[in-house]
Amino acid sequence: MSSINKAHVYGDDINTDLIIAGKYTKTLNMAELASHCFEDIDANFTTKIKPGDWIVAGRNFGCGSSREQAPLAIKHSGIQGVIAKSFARIFYRNAINVGLLLVVCNTDQITDLDEISVDLFNGSVIINKKLKIPCEKLSPIMQQILEEGGLVPYLCKRGDF
Amino acid sequence: MGYTFAEKIISKKSGCQVSAGEIAIVQVDLAMATDTTAPLTIQAFKEMGGVLVKKPARTVFVIDHATPAPNEKISNLQQLIRNFVLEQNLVLYDQGDGICHQLMVEEGHVRSGDLVLGADSHTCTYGAVGALATGVGSTDLGAVLLTGKSWLRVPESIKIVLTGELNRYVTAKDAVLAMAGKLTADGATYASLEFCGDGAAKLSIDDRMTIANMAIEMGAKNGVFTAAIEDEDLKPDPDAVYINEYHFNLAEIEPMLACPHQVDNVATVQAKAGMVIQQAFLGSCTNGRLTDLAIAAKILKGKKVAPGVRLLVAPASRKVLLEAMARNYIQELIRAGATILPPGCGPCVGTLGGIPADGDVVISTTNRNFKGRMGNNKAFVYLASPVTVAVAAVLGRIARPEEVIQ
């Protein structure tokens, strides 16, 4: 799992209401959901990102609601994954369950539009092909769920936990 | 070495002895989803190949976030929920019944010692009655519907020792805001909070629910009142291991606020006295209960909401509304100028009713003041107790209770 894409940098405590406002959550249409992603924090978000880009943030990314629409909005906007210092726990589970990549590492040295390459197998994030930052590894069960592409394919295959 | 409540209950529900940090597959006693999360839950269940829900009598769906439905799209999603409930013989609470977390406790669905997963972050409220209850997303809940199980990481635990008693017109909400200020918005991430001490044991069920409800606002997985744990085998051992311990003397708690736009941005009411408000909201899973309506009605009785202020009141359930009517609280609130909304979540989460205007300052008994939370990212939301909200509604500004209550 390796790729090179741009970073879009935000701060600490990016909550689920900022990721997708409550008023937009009542839908099963993923394109519609994605069109409002990050609307309250960055009105240009959906036009400036390119498929495969990364969101980079500080502490406590995804705090707040259990709405799975938050990782779904990010995923369907074309963002490949989120790199942050830490994640709120419900968001963390939800993202893995819907197959959105999450990377936990020190993000202090990452600036907006840096080129990002993530090597999940070796546990590192590479910035502008130079700086290598070590990242945390997922727990075995989360790794298995992510490898299957999310919890739906995981349970389709196994039928049970 | 002893075990915490979280370690004991997850060990019991998984059938193997586990400690903090380990992963366990657990039997889930009770599952819950709302109109925000149920449609995706149903979709995930079907995509997983689900045919029959594993524990239908203990699967509760509640239509509370946007009810009565404001448009056809939302109405159709709610119909999808009703159809699934009928098809699977699940438990449904529909329009006007109330807020999921109130109903789960009020209607006796949650029992002490249950392990509950709910597709709503404030599921942690049921720690008030001695359950391990935590919020999950729709796909996780779909998996619970399919298998009756889920996986959990056993959380580390934080002990919150409460002593003393709250002063008059200081409430459990002020206490939990003080806790959020101390622990911060991510100070308890992944952890289980154990509320203990003689101060915790003396709190009413309504007060316990207000405090447990906001465990998630500190990042916690769950929060339990140890006094509510009935099963001796689940009570935490005296030598259990905690990663942190905090002490709060309830007698020292002041009326508190969480200022925009984060719950840990706390200040005393005194420090913000004089701040002019445009909207006041009394309701939500945090503070829409009978005791909350009672104190607000007592403050507003015979008075008028200040000119330029809109006061909205949403009782937490149909039962709360009926009881508040029987005791004349609702009549007194209406006479004072309040607008009564049907039981539900709408204004708290910006999904229905009471959307503030640009620049509005809102004082609210809810649990989140994130930018945009109430439906407008140009509004400023202050979280407070029902007392502080009622006082601000009368004066049109934030003030200590003594200014209104003789």
Side-chain angles (χ1 to χ4, degrees), chain B residues 158-163 166 171-188 193-196 199-200 203 207-208 210-215 217-219 223 225 246-250 253-254 256-257 263-266:
Chain B
I158 296 173
K159 194 186 255 193
I160 312 273
V161 184
L162 304 181
T163 54
L166 291 164
T171 74
K173 181 63 163 289
D174 300 300
V176 74
L177 290 177
M179 290 177 209
K182 181 86 176 169
L183 272 76
T184 77
D186 66 348
L193 302 181
E194 285 186 11
F195 300 102
C196 58
L203 290 173
D207 284 346
R208 289 180 191 182
T210 298
I211 291 172
N213 174 270
M214 291 189 68
E217 308 314 326
M218 295 167 259
F225 275 78
Y246 296 87
H247 291 251
F248 295 90
N249 181 350
L250 296 176
I253 302 285
E254 286 267 305
M256 297 296 293
L257 297 166
V263 71
D264 56 5
N265 186 19
V266 298

Side-chain angles (χ1 to χ4, degrees), chain B residues 292-334:
Chain B
D292 304 317
L293 300 183
I295 190 78
K298 187 176 176 185
I299 292 166
L300 283 151
K301 187 179 180 179
K303 299 190 179 68
K304 288 282 177 200
V305 169
V309 173
R310 308 178 300 273
L311 171 62
L312 302 164
V313 178
S317 72
R318 189 188 300 278
K319 276 190 182 164
V320 168
L321 173 56
L322 279 169
E323 188 58 32
M325 285 171 68
R327 298 183 187 206
N328 273 322
Y329 302 155
I330 296 294
Q331 293 85 328
E332 282 152 10
L333 291 167
I334 291 174

Side-chain angles (χ1 to χ4, degrees), chain A residues 9-63:
Chain A
V9 180
Y10 299 90
D12 291 335
D13 301 305
I14 302 298
N15 62 66
T16 48
D17 282 80
L18 289 177
I19 297 168
I20 184 82
K23 60 191 169 189
Y24 300 128
T25 55
K26 309 289 182 291
T27 182
L28 291 171
N29 181 333
M30 293 303 129
E32 186 189 322
L33 201 60
S35 72
H36 297 292
C37 188
F38 270 57
E39 190 175 277
D40 280 345
I41 189 170
D42 184 353
N44 300 319
F45 179 79
T46 52
T47 52
K48 76 183 195 188
I49 58 158
K50 298 214 163 42
D53 281 357
W54 292 85
I55 287 171
V56 175
R59 282 171 37 215
N60 204 24
F61 188 91
C63 58

Side-chain angles (χ1 to χ4, degrees), chain B residues 90-288:
Chain B
L90 312 180
V91 182
L92 177 72
Y93 292 97
D94 208 330
Q95 178 176 305
D97 286 337
I99 301 172
C100 54
H101 306 307
Q102 177 67 16
L103 294 165
M104 291 288 277
V105 174
E106 191 178 87
E107 298 295 326
H109 291 290
V110 188
R111 303 164 200 153
S112 180
D114 272 350
L115 192 152
V116 191
L117 295 188
D120 188 278
S121 59
H122 294 106
T123 299
C124 53
T125 307
Y126 324 146
V129 294
L132 186 137
T134 190
V136 295
S138 295
T139 302
D140 266 328
L141 203 79
V144 175
L145 266 50
L146 182 78
T147 65
K149 289 181 271 187
S150 191
W151 68 271
L152 290 180
R153 179 185 175 279
V154 186
E156 287 79 16
S157 293
I158 296 173
K159 194 186 255 193
I160 312 273
V161 184
L162 304 181
T163 54
E165 279 183 57
L166 291 164
N167 288 313
R168 211 165 168 224
Y169 300 116
V170 179
T171 74
K173 181 63 163 289
D174 300 300
V176 74
L177 290 177
M179 290 177 209
K182 181 86 176 169
L183 272 76
T184 77
D186 66 348
T189 296
Y190 289 90
S192 168
L193 302 181
E194 285 186 11
F195 300 102
C196 58
D198 60 338
K202 280 185 209 152
L203 290 173
S204 70
I205 176 71
D206 283 12
D207 284 346
R208 289 180 191 182
M209 286 175 77
T210 298
I211 291 172
N213 174 270
M214 291 189 68
I216 178 70
E217 308 314 326
M218 295 167 259
K221 183 178 211 134
N222 71 298
V224 69
F225 275 78
T226 56
I229 304 168
E230 291 167 7
D231 183 345
E232 287 297 326
D233 294 339
L234 294 180
K235 289 185 177 168
D237 292 322
D239 58 344
V241 176
Y242 296 87
I243 54 167
N244 221 329
E245 185 172 322
Y246 296 87
H247 291 251
F248 295 90
N249 181 350
L250 296 176
E252 290 172 3
I253 302 285
E254 286 267 305
M256 297 296 293
L257 297 166
C259 305
H261 293 287
Q262 190 149 303
V263 71
D264 56 5
N265 186 19
V266 298
T268 60
V269 165
Q270 182 70 50
K272 295 287 170 184
M275 168 82 67
V276 173
I277 61 144
Q278 284 76 40
Q279 183 167 306
F281 176 55
L282 173 67
S284 83
C285 55
T286 317
N287 278 127

